[in-house]
Amino acid sequence: MPSRKALIRRPGPRLAEGLVTHIERSPVDVDLALQQWETYAETLREHGWETVETEPADDCPDSVFIEDTVVMFRNVALIARPGAESRRPETTAVEEAVARLGCSVNWVWEPGTLDGGDVLKIGDTIYVGRGGRTNAAGVQQLRAAFEPLGARVVPVPVSKVLHLKSAVTALPDSTVIGYPPLVDTPSVFPRHLPVPEESGAHVVLLGGGKLLMAASAPKTAELFTDLGYQPVTVDISEFEKLEGCVTCLSVRLRDLYA
Ligand SMILES: NC(=O)NCCC[C@H](N)C(=O)O
């Protein structure tokens, strides 16, 4: 039976100092961010996900964006080596957390860099964004870790946004969704559906037809409702100011060995 656990990490007091690369910096309300994070975690739980809180990494402003620290394939965890040096210490507690959950653990090594936000899994296909945070050695190491387990790794150029999953994610039927001005090469994906808003491109599959998505993409939520899905929206405005999205606030673990 598939597991339904989600690793999360509470935002730290230095959140407002988080990195900003492709957007203008605007002030972050740390108290509001904490409330939004609590609601995000509660929403996962309401939809059947057991949240597992990782030790805080309060010296790292971006530590709430836990998705970037680890990539899961089956029960194997590949500990990332974040492209931004300030984020590298974030992986230590995540490594301990996944090991405690019974995962096999593997690592990205220097000179490789890889952020989990660059990795989009659709079945056994793993798309990996080659962009500002993930380099060619990181792509090769991802391949070496997961292709022997049956994955097919497909590198995709990313130049307009922070991570591959800032540009595209996928619906339950594997259709890749993206906001056209930000997708480098939509033709890489067998099925691609354009969405009308940047943050509409980010969904977390909660199970069945339920899609966790940001409240900032109402037109896309309408489109998904019209296609027979059930959008579940959360306000993550304070994380969006730091180029975060719904996907990056958790790591879903579906294939743990109990
Ligand atoms: N996977 C993600 O979309 N992560 C967002 C990370 C945002 C953070 N401010 C960063 O620049 O690393």
Side-chain angles (χ1 to χ4, degrees), residues 60-216:
C60 297
D62 285 301
S63 59
V64 68
F65 303 116
I66 192 167
E67 170 184 59
D68 294 321
T69 60
V70 61
V71 178
M72 294 297 307
F73 185 73
R74 309 204 194 293
N75 76 322
V76 178
L78 178 65
I79 303 299
R81 184 164 179 270
E85 213 168 325
S86 64
R87 300 202 56 190
R88 298 211 178 127
E90 293 177 27
T91 59
T92 310
V94 173
E95 183 178 326
E96 285 160 13
V98 292
R100 262 199 307 276
L101 290 167
C103 300
S104 295
V105 181
N106 212 329
W107 294 266
V108 175
W109 301 103
E110 193 180 359
T113 64
L114 179 106
D115 277 18
D118 274 320
V119 179
L120 172 65
K121 284 176 294 175
I122 304 182
D124 286 346
T125 301
I126 303 183
Y127 294 99
V128 54
R130 165 66 189 96
R133 296 287 176 86
T134 295
N135 65 14
V139 172
Q140 271 170 13
Q141 292 182 36
L142 179 76
R143 197 176 267 137
F146 293 143
E147 286 201 336
L149 305 180
R152 185 176 61 113
V153 171
V154 180
V156 181
V158 172
S159 66
K160 302 173 182 174
V161 279
L162 185 63
H163 289 128
L164 176 63
K165 274 193 284 187
S166 321
V168 293
T169 60
L171 295 173
D173 69 357
S174 303
T175 299
V176 169
I177 52 172
Y179 177 58
L182 301 181
V183 185
D184 280 84
T185 39
S187 58
V188 170
F189 307 108
R191 279 206 305 278
H192 180 257
L193 176 72
V195 296
E197 291 143 322
E198 177 173 352
S199 58
H202 315 139
V203 293
V204 171
L205 308 185
L206 290 171
K210 291 189 187 141
L211 310 175
L212 180 62
M213 56 185 294
S216 55

Side-chain angles (χ1 to χ4, degrees), residues 22-76:
H22 293 268
I23 59 174
E24 292 276 305
R25 183 174 288 282
S26 56
V28 172
D29 179 334
V30 177
D31 294 330
L32 177 57
L34 184 58
Q35 282 172 33
Q36 292 179 343
W37 179 83
E38 299 277 9
T39 303
Y40 175 92
E42 186 53 36
T43 305
L44 288 175
R45 290 189 287 271
E46 275 169 10
H47 291 88
W49 291 83
E50 180 193 337
T51 51
V52 178
E53 205 175 320
T54 308
E55 281 295 301
D58 284 352
D59 289 341
C60 297
D62 285 301
S63 59
V64 68
F65 303 116
I66 192 167
E67 170 184 59
D68 294 321
T69 60
V70 61
V71 178
M72 294 297 307
F73 185 73
R74 309 204 194 293
N75 76 322
V76 178

Side-chain angles (χ1 to χ4, degrees), residues 32 36-37 39 213-216 233-240:
L32 177 57
Q36 292 179 343
W37 179 83
T39 303
M213 56 185 294
S216 55
T233 56
V234 283
D235 186 356
I236 53 160
S237 62
E238 300 316 289
F239 302 108
E240 288 172 332

